[in-house]
Amino acid sequence: AQSVTQLDSHVSVSEGTPVLLRCNYSSSYSPSLFWYVQHPNKGLQLLLKYTSAATLVKGINGFEAEFKKSETSFHLTKPSAHMSDAAEYFCVVSFFGANNLFFGTGTRLTVIP
Amino acid sequence: AAGVIQSPRHLIKEKRETATLKCYPIPRHDTVYWYQQGPGQDPQFLISFYEKMQSDKGSIPDRFSAQQFSDYHSELNMSSLELGDSALYFCASATGDSYSTDTQYFGPGTRLTVL
């Protein structure tokens, strides 16, 4: 069975400190993996994606994620949090390209001034 | 750059009424997906279309139907609305079919409230 698990429903960091949002997936196939961000009352914005190319993926706004097949993980990181990073982050998995995305339950990131 | 357009952005209906949501994909995108996001929940896939044909079906209720038109825009028709249909409905567009597309781009969503 294919699934995606976000290990933390809520992460709180101080401004200027590193961000780590954890995501694990389960798949019998080679997945495509995405991170989307949703700001309050806004749509979903693609942060970055992994589609079997480089395992370290750089995205927008200073975010990056590393695909680790041995750990079935795709954690999202950022060296220094900014107030504008406060939002809901979804780890998303797809099989066979980007068809039928399966969303994790989301991690709400709070950034403390 | 042009993005996915959804209309209306907000819609208020009463129980048992009908609603139609529209989605205009990014130019030259031929695939459209619909998702439903309930309050505090993650988006759930409803249905998708590629080249005006239904390509896949998720957890879409029988009361809902959708289609993709010749200009690639899509409409989600919802009948006999229930309170539980209140949600944010996202449309996403992409290029290619199930096996070749690699990224879905989401619209801002339509917030449907059923009273």
Side-chain angles (χ1 to χ4, degrees):
Chain A
Q2 290 84 1
S3 66
V4 58
T5 302
Q6 291 184 244
L7 299 165
D8 307 294
S9 59
H10 189 195
V11 170
S12 185
V13 301
S14 296
E15 189 176 17
T17 63
V19 176
L20 170 63
L21 305 183
R22 298 182 294 166
C23 173
N24 285 91
Y25 70 92
S26 171
S27 172
S28 304
Y29 310 99
S30 294
S32 295
L33 293 158
F34 309 80
W35 276 97
Y36 282 87
V37 61
Q38 185 177 29
H39 287 90
N41 300 312
K42 294 292 180 70
L44 291 156
Q45 182 182 20
L46 178 68
L47 276 179
L48 49 80
K49 64 181 181 183
Y50 166 78
T51 53
S52 74
T55 57
L56 181 62
V57 182
K58 293 187 183 298
I60 62 172
N61 301 337
F63 284 94
E64 62 181 39
E66 187 172 7
F67 173 71
K68 292 186 177 180
K69 187 174 182 179
S70 61
E71 299 176 9
T72 61
S73 68
F74 190 58
H75 302 333
L76 181 71
T77 61
K78 182 173 180 176
S80 176
H82 191 272
M83 294 298 296
S84 61
D85 294 329
E88 187 87 16
Y89 291 79
F90 291 97
C91 181
V92 183
V93 65
S94 175
F95 311 97
F96 310 118
N99 191 48
N100 299 357
L101 302 182
F102 292 90
F103 283 75
T105 51
T107 297
R108 180 167 298 278
L109 176 65
T110 299
V111 181
I112 303 167
Chain B
V4 177
I5 298 172
Q6 291 188 246
S7 68
R9 294 293 307 278
H10 301 273
L11 189 59
I12 299 175
K13 291 286 186 177
E14 298 204 350
K15 282 172 51 178
R16 293 179 288 277
E17 284 191 323
T18 297
T20 297
L21 279 53
K22 297 184 179 182
C23 169
Y24 298 87
I26 293 171
R28 291 181 294 282
H29 280 197
D30 46 18
T31 306
V32 168
Y33 303 82
W34 285 98
Y35 294 84
Q36 177 192 59
Q37 185 181 28
Q41 298 180 4
D42 54 287
Q44 296 291 316
F45 169 70
L46 292 178
I47 194 167
S48 63
F49 293 88
Y50 167 65
E51 282 291 342
K52 293 154 277 184
M53 299 287 290
Q54 181 181 310
S55 55
D56 210 342
K57 198 172 182 179
S59 51
I60 185 169
D62 292 339
R63 298 177 289 107
F64 294 5
S65 65
Q67 57 182 322
Q68 186 180 30
F69 294 85
S70 58
D71 63 351
Y72 296 105
H73 94 272
S74 178
E75 295 184 3
L76 178 66
N77 298 294
M78 310 159 71
S79 62
S80 303
L81 287 169
E82 302 174 356
L83 296 178
D85 296 329
S86 295
L88 191 56
Y89 290 83
F90 287 110
C91 168
S93 77
T95 56
D97 60 17
S98 307
Y99 299 92
S100 63
T101 188
D102 73 343
T103 304
Q104 292 185 25
Y105 296 90
F106 283 79
T110 294
R111 184 168 297 282
L112 172 67
T113 302
V114 181
L115 302 176

